[in-house]
Amino acid sequence: MSRVVVIGAGAMGLAAAYRAVKLGHQVDLIEASPEPGGMAGHFDFDGISIERFYHFVCHNDLPTFALMKELGIGDKLVWQLTTMGFFSGNTLHQWGDPLALLRLPGVSLIDKLRYGLFAFVCTRRNRWPAIENESAKSWIIRWSGAANYDRFWKPLFAHKFYEYADNISAAWIWTRIRRVGRSRKSINKEELGYIEGGSITLINSLVAAIQSLGGRVHLSNPVQQITVEQGRVTGVQTTNGHYSADAVICTTPTPLVSAMVPELPQEWKDRYNAIHNIGVICVIFKLTRSVTSHFWVNVSEPDIDIPGVIEFSNLRKAGDHTILYVPFYMPVTNPKFSASDEELIAEAFACLQRINPKLTTRDIVATKVARLRHGQPICEPGFLAKIPPVQTPIAGLQIADTCFYYPEDRGIAESVRVGAAMAESITSGKPVHTAPAVV
């Protein structure tokens, strides 16, 4: 039995701690925040428990299903038919299925056929190694043409990645298309899932399971340094004291690693520091009326700096009210990231009013602005070669965050998979290979 310290009580850290304690290790889970969950964490939003950052489940999120079954909450998974919309030319269009594509005005038949073929191939392929070193821009243009790229993709990339928009990995975009595409019940029906009660149901079940098996969870306990002696990890120093360890699993964002582990060789610090992130701000509304009938609406308007709108209550019901997320993605150096909550709420609501002009400020019941500095790793072409190994040169120290899921995007399923693999590596001694065999 080893003494294991896990840093970070997001989904990956919780999964790692749970698997480690199940394997018989002595486990301490350390979290800086006062509550567990990370990006899947909840807050009380005017009487309803809801995620700060929206989450949904797809049919291929198999690690999530297996974990929920193991925890005895498999019956908490709920599936719901959903639809997509596309707001362009100041008009809301149906989107996300072949008929919607054919009906869309202002797009030639050839471009529609090319777009449809592109989406079909993306959904069906299991491996696509040829696109690992290609940008999403060149790949999409090559498959579906410049007109389709300019109409459907360019505004989304610009409003999410800003100065990085032209240099995003094609492999990363492909896996996003594939994940949602494979969650369709049929060619014309999209089906997404949610956990009854929200992600907190899974988070609370993991915390309870860890503690019932003898693990310890320490909240409001920021890490100051991972301690090392003679090339081997010895523990973790926090604001509340030192936790001795034979093995440490660190799941904090990679930009924080260099300062946290001063004993790392400089070339390893350089690799972590070379991974850039953009921030995310979610403006959350509780409204008296629905804005659209869709779960997700892509926004493609030159004067709206918002890539999309997520009407979450069209997936998970919220009583008589509408719960809606308006996300802003941007580098944290962008002045808008430091804008006031009031400015962001006003801009987001103006977007909603463009989509549904019947909406008035009297429909607003409550608002919340959630911010995260390390919201999304920026995955450029060839990103797979940029990711350091999970096992560091320091014996007993493993490090991974959401960028290690590449080419998969952030998600609870990938967190569960990678977290469990790191815990199992402590027992087996075998290195963790984080990237799924899809590239």
Side-chain angles (χ1 to χ4, degrees):
M1 179 179 71
S2 297
R3 297 170 299 170
V4 178
V5 173
V6 179
I7 302 172
M12 180 163 53
L14 286 165
Y18 170 68
R19 189 60 58 201
V21 77
K22 284 268 289 186
L23 290 169
H25 298 298
Q26 178 184 312
V27 177
D28 286 286
L29 175 60
I30 299 171
E31 168 59 45
S33 299
E35 66 279 323
M39 288 192 75
H42 275 224
F43 72 103
D44 185 302
F45 190 35
D46 191 50
I48 181 172
S49 180
I50 197 80
E51 289 97 337
R52 290 183 178 85
F53 305 96
Y54 56 91
H55 285 74
F56 58 90
V57 180
C58 290
H59 279 290
N60 47 351
D61 291 347
L62 302 181
T64 302
F65 309 154
L67 179 60
M68 290 179 65
K69 183 178 180 180
E70 186 176 335
L71 292 169
I73 57 170
D75 60 339
K76 300 296 184 182
L77 190 60
V78 182
W79 296 99
Q80 176 71 36
L81 290 177
T82 57
T83 60
M84 288 183 65
F86 177 60
F87 187 70
S88 178
N90 222 39
T91 303
L92 179 63
H93 306 277
Q94 183 80 23
W95 192 237
D97 63 73
L99 289 177
L101 177 61
L102 289 172
R103 292 175 183 144
L104 189 70
V107 181
S108 73
L109 179 59
I110 291 297
D111 283 340
K112 289 176 181 179
L113 292 174
R114 291 187 70 179
Y115 189 98
L117 175 64
F118 172 66
F120 177 80
V121 171
C122 285
T123 301
R124 296 296 177 180
R125 290 196 71 149
N126 290 322
R127 291 176 54 84
W128 210 332
I131 63 173
E132 165 57 18
N133 294 303
E134 186 173 4
S135 74
K137 179 180 179 180
S138 67
W139 171 63
I140 293 169
I141 290 174
R142 182 161 53 83
W143 270 85
S144 61
N148 278 330
Y149 177 80
D150 290 343
R151 177 78 184 272
F152 302 114
W153 294 96
K154 185 176 181 179
L156 297 179
F157 288 173
H159 294 154
K160 182 165 184 175
F161 294 107
Y162 288 76
E163 61 263 35
Y164 303 99
D166 289 344
N167 199 38
I168 299 301
S169 163
W172 183 78
I173 292 295
W174 161 56
T175 56
R176 289 172 61 89
I177 299 170
R178 190 178 74 116
R179 177 176 180 245
V180 176
R182 289 192 173 183
S183 199
R184 304 193 71 82
K185 192 171 185 178
S186 70
I187 194 169
N188 289 316
K189 290 184 178 180
E190 178 183 86
E191 187 175 57
L192 298 176
Y194 65 91
I195 301 172
E196 190 176 302
S199 301
I200 198 66
T201 299
L202 175 58
I203 299 304
N204 287 343
S205 294
L206 279 167
V207 170
I210 292 165
Q211 293 175 327
S212 70
L213 292 168
R216 294 172 292 274
V217 179
H218 311 274
L219 304 175
S220 300
N221 196 11
V223 170
Q224 296 174 323
Q225 185 176 323
I226 295 173
T227 56
V228 177
E229 289 182 9
Q230 297 180 342
R232 170 168 287 279
V233 73
T234 59
V236 175
Q237 181 65 46
T238 77
T239 55
N240 293 345
H242 186 266
Y243 297 81
S244 297
D246 305 303
V248 172
I249 294 173
C250 178
T251 68
T252 58
T254 49
L256 307 178
V257 167
S258 292
M260 191 179 292
V261 197
E263 298 289 335
L264 276 171
Q266 187 58 48
E267 60 267 27
W268 278 70
K269 293 181 182 180
D270 292 341
R271 294 185 73 175
Y272 292 120
N273 294 339
I275 297 171
H276 301 293
N277 280 249
I278 55 174
V280 60
I281 301 172
C282 269
V283 180
I284 313 169
F285 290 94
K286 187 176 188 179
L287 305 173
T288 61
R289 71 164 76 205
S290 177
V291 178
T292 78
S293 61
H294 307 297
F295 169 65
W296 194 296
V297 175
N298 284 337
V299 177
S300 181
E301 291 282 31
D303 58 337
I304 298 178
D305 293 336
I306 293 168
V309 169
I310 298 90
E311 193 160 335
F312 196 74
S313 47
N314 285 333
L315 174 65
R316 175 189 163 201
K317 299 302 178 185
D320 296 329
H321 292 100
T322 291
I323 301 293
L324 194 142
Y325 292 80
V326 179
F328 294 85
Y329 287 90
M330 69 198 77
V332 296
T333 53
N334 189 297
K336 187 177 287 187
F337 194 83
S338 301
S340 68
D341 288 359
E342 292 74 19
E343 290 174 297
L344 293 165
I345 290 168
E347 182 175 349
F349 194 70
C351 174
L352 299 183
Q353 287 182 304
R354 283 275 293 277
I355 297 172
N356 185 344
K358 295 180 179 179
L359 202 62
T360 73
T361 54
R362 292 189 298 274
D363 293 311
I364 299 176
V365 177
T367 59
K368 170 73 175 181
V369 178
R371 303 174 193 247
L372 191 66
R373 294 186 65 84
H374 305 108
Q376 170 73 70
I378 298 167
C379 303
E380 64 265 34
F383 190 76
L384 190 62
K386 190 173 183 177
I387 305 170
V390 172
Q391 175 58 56
T392 71
I394 297 171
L397 175 60
Q398 297 182 81
I399 295 174
D401 74 348
T402 57
C403 76
F404 283 72
Y405 307 164
Y406 177 88
E408 298 289 346
D409 194 16
R410 305 151 301 156
I412 288 176
E414 290 304 305
S415 296
V416 168
R417 181 180 66 82
V418 175
M422 288 195 289
E424 289 161 4
S425 178
I426 294 171
T427 300
S428 69
K430 296 179 180 178
V432 176
H433 299 288
T434 56
V438 294
V439 176

